[in-house]
Amino acid sequence: MAVDLRSVLTTWILLLAASSSVADNLAGPLVDQPLADQRLVDQLQLHGFASQGALKTSANRFYGDSPNTSFDFTEIGLNASWRLNPRLRLAGQVLYRRAGEMSDDEPKVDFALADIILTTGDSYRVGTRIGRIKNRLGLYNETRDVPFTHPGIFLPQVVYFDKVRNLILSADGIYVYTDLYQPFGLFSASLATGLPVIDKNVETAYLFGDLPGDLGPDENSWLASLWYYSQDERLKLGWSGAAVSLEFDPQQGSPLPIGPGTVDILYWIASAQYNTERWSFTTEYMAEPMQWRGFGPMRPDRDATAEGYYAQVTHRPLPKWQLMLRYEEGFGDRADRDGRKLEQQTFGLIPAKATSSRILTLGLRWDLNQQWMLKAEYQRHIGNFILSEIENPDFGSFEKHWDLFAIQAAFRF
């Protein structure tokens, strides 16, 4: 069973902060109060961002009632970083996110951690992070909620699923990392374990509906990554992955004969990006082997491997303008790409068109200045794999061919 990390992590962070203050006092003579206050101001950094989007789809619901134009896409974040000494930094962010029916319109702790440098040398660094930590998955997951950090309004959905965003976004746990600096580039590796964040979106997606009961972590998740960055950071290559085990607790007295089943997930991404002064070429491949066990005769045991990949090109013709072209494909099971097998097994409850997505995206970004940015995006969709089951509970009403147009304004400080 999962270890209760949350209370342990809180205690660790408080002890680390206290020990840092003691270490500072032992390191030298006391300073005058005005100097100490100025030092605190220099060490503390505050930043934030806010964005508002509008979406229109020709069919299907995406981030709200998009067929009738949705404005239910808002993100507001406030983050702080406080370096207590050269080896210890505290950081956190509170995020308000409205994303149609996939969010509950409440501020959340996006991350809150202590970053500790354990040892360092001329060519290496080893550290650990403790708390709620952003998972290092793919090129974009750690900064996916900050609109300035990626070229489009939406990340490639066949790799970075917004419908199960919280499962892969962060975990409450411990993260160990090491960086090795070489003349030809940087190697970086990490290993983490912690409790994944499970919500109704995750339950509905992996159980194909809202079953009577609760889905939660069966044990701590494990995450690992290995990255290479060239010296000028033109080339980025990486592999990252996570192993998660979920356990379903059926509601007592439910009329549905659903057992206390488990869902085991291995989610990994291979990433590559090459940057020049005006061009960026990006591609990522995702595979997600999954196993369903013990749910009973209504949900027989099943194995499947979801798959997704994309190719993306961005061009900066002028310093403040950026164009983006992306093509992506995703499948609920790479052994059943057309979805016909699952449609037959579920007697048509899950139509074939719900198991795959092919998406062509055109995007435009305009950085007005350092604080303001505008984006516009058009997507052509074939299939419904990326759609949220919460926003679209009736699979039979899916439209296989549909269009999406979105605009977004963003501000940062």
Side-chain angles (χ1 to χ4, degrees):
M1 298 299 292
V3 178
D4 184 10
L5 287 175
R6 292 183 172 91
S7 59
V8 176
L9 296 174
T10 302
T11 304
W12 264 97
I13 293 173
L14 291 175
L15 288 175
L16 286 166
S19 64
S20 173
S21 297
V22 171
D24 285 348
N25 289 335
L26 294 177
L30 296 175
V31 297
D32 292 337
Q33 186 64 37
L35 293 177
D37 292 343
Q38 182 60 45
R39 180 184 173 194
L40 175 61
V41 172
D42 294 340
Q43 293 172 336
L44 181 63
Q45 295 186 8
L46 293 173
H47 299 283
F49 62 90
S51 68
Q52 176 63 49
L55 298 86
K56 172 69 176 178
T57 58
S58 60
N60 306 314
R61 293 172 64 92
F62 191 72
Y63 282 55
D65 187 14
S66 53
N68 293 315
T69 305
S70 172
F71 295 91
D72 293 340
F73 182 29
T74 307
E75 292 177 314
I76 302 173
L78 179 62
N79 59 73
S81 176
W82 182 21
R83 183 165 294 282
L84 282 78
N85 62 42
R87 291 185 177 269
L88 175 60
R89 178 178 66 94
L90 301 181
Q93 177 169 287
V94 176
L95 178 70
Y96 168 82
R97 188 172 190 268
R98 181 175 60 172
E101 296 169 44
M102 293 185 288
S103 64
D104 53 12
D105 290 353
E106 292 183 1
K108 303 287 186 181
V109 176
D110 195 34
F111 65 88
L113 57 91
D115 190 347
I116 310 137
I117 303 299
L118 300 176
T119 182
T120 184
D122 293 337
S123 62
Y124 69 90
R125 178 181 66 166
V126 179
T128 185
R129 294 172 183 170
I130 303 174
R132 174 162 291 184
I133 304 157
K134 282 290 190 71
N135 294 329
R136 196 175 188 183
L137 292 168
L139 290 165
Y140 297 116
N141 189 66
E142 287 183 291
T143 59
R144 65 186 297 162
D145 296 318
V146 183
F148 292 87
T149 60
H150 45 85
I153 296 176
F154 307 104
L155 292 178
Q157 290 297 293
V158 301
V159 173
Y160 302 94
F161 304 103
D162 277 347
K163 66 179 183 178
V164 292
R165 167 185 170 274
N166 286 340
L167 179 65
I168 61 176
L169 179 68
S170 60
D172 297 332
I174 300 172
Y175 171 106
V176 179
Y177 62 91
T178 180
D179 298 325
L180 180 62
Y181 306 96
Q182 295 296 314
F184 51 84
L186 165 68
F187 289 95
S188 181
S190 67
L191 180 66
T193 183
L195 291 173
V197 180
I198 309 298
D199 61 10
K200 186 62 69 175
N201 295 286
V202 175
E203 178 178 335
T204 303
Y206 284 100
L207 300 184
F208 303 104
D210 186 8
L211 298 182
D214 295 308
L215 188 70
D218 183 37
E219 57 187 25
N220 295 333
S221 61
W222 288 89
L223 301 99
S225 70
L226 180 63
W227 290 88
Y228 166 74
Y229 304 88
S230 63
Q231 192 172 33
D232 55 6
E233 291 201 7
R234 287 197 167 194
L235 177 64
K236 300 179 182 179
L237 300 173
W239 180 94
S240 51
V244 182
S245 183
L246 307 177
E247 183 178 36
F248 181 68
D249 182 17
Q251 180 180 319
Q252 296 296 323
S254 169
L256 295 178
I258 302 295
T262 60
V263 185
D264 293 316
I265 303 165
L266 177 62
Y267 170 89
W268 62 268
I269 305 172
S271 310
Q273 185 177 78
Y274 183 74
N275 300 294
T276 69
E277 182 179 356
R278 294 196 174 186
W279 294 88
S280 293
F281 304 90
T282 306
T283 184
E284 293 189 285
Y285 173 87
M286 179 279 303
E288 186 182 19
M290 297 170 286
Q291 292 183 337
W292 291 264
R293 297 289 187 269
F295 286 93
M298 286 192 64
R299 297 293 179 91
D301 292 353
R302 177 172 173 260
D303 294 348
T305 298
E307 181 181 58
Y309 45 83
Y310 72 91
Q312 175 180 281
V313 179
T314 58
H315 177 52
R316 293 168 288 276
L318 296 171
K320 295 184 178 182
W321 291 86
Q322 182 172 275
L323 303 172
M324 185 263 288
L325 172 65
R326 181 173 68 226
Y327 178 73
E328 55 191 296
E329 292 186 350
F331 307 94
D333 186 355
R334 66 185 179 191
D336 181 29
R337 292 195 174 201
D338 59 9
R340 294 178 182 177
K341 182 178 178 181
L342 183 60
E343 184 176 44
Q344 292 174 355
Q345 291 175 342
T346 60
F347 303 100
L349 179 63
I350 302 178
K353 58 188 175 184
T355 65
S356 65
S357 281
R358 294 173 173 86
I359 310 168
L360 178 65
T361 301
L362 301 173
L364 175 66
R365 170 175 171 169
W366 179 26
D367 292 311
L368 286 76
N369 50 45
Q370 289 293 324
Q371 286 75 42
W372 286 95
M373 177 188 67
L374 296 176
K375 289 181 181 179
E377 191 165 305
Y378 167 76
Q379 297 183 353
R380 174 61 177 172
H381 289 252
I382 302 176
N384 313 117
F385 176 51
I386 62 99
L387 291 175
S388 164
E389 289 81 356
I390 287 183
E391 292 198 309
N392 301 272
D394 182 10
F395 290 176
S397 66
F398 280 160
E399 290 289 340
K400 183 176 181 179
H401 299 268
W402 55 290
D403 302 289
L404 180 149
F405 178 75
I407 57 175
Q408 182 186 52
F411 171 80
R412 63 181 173 185
F413 65 89

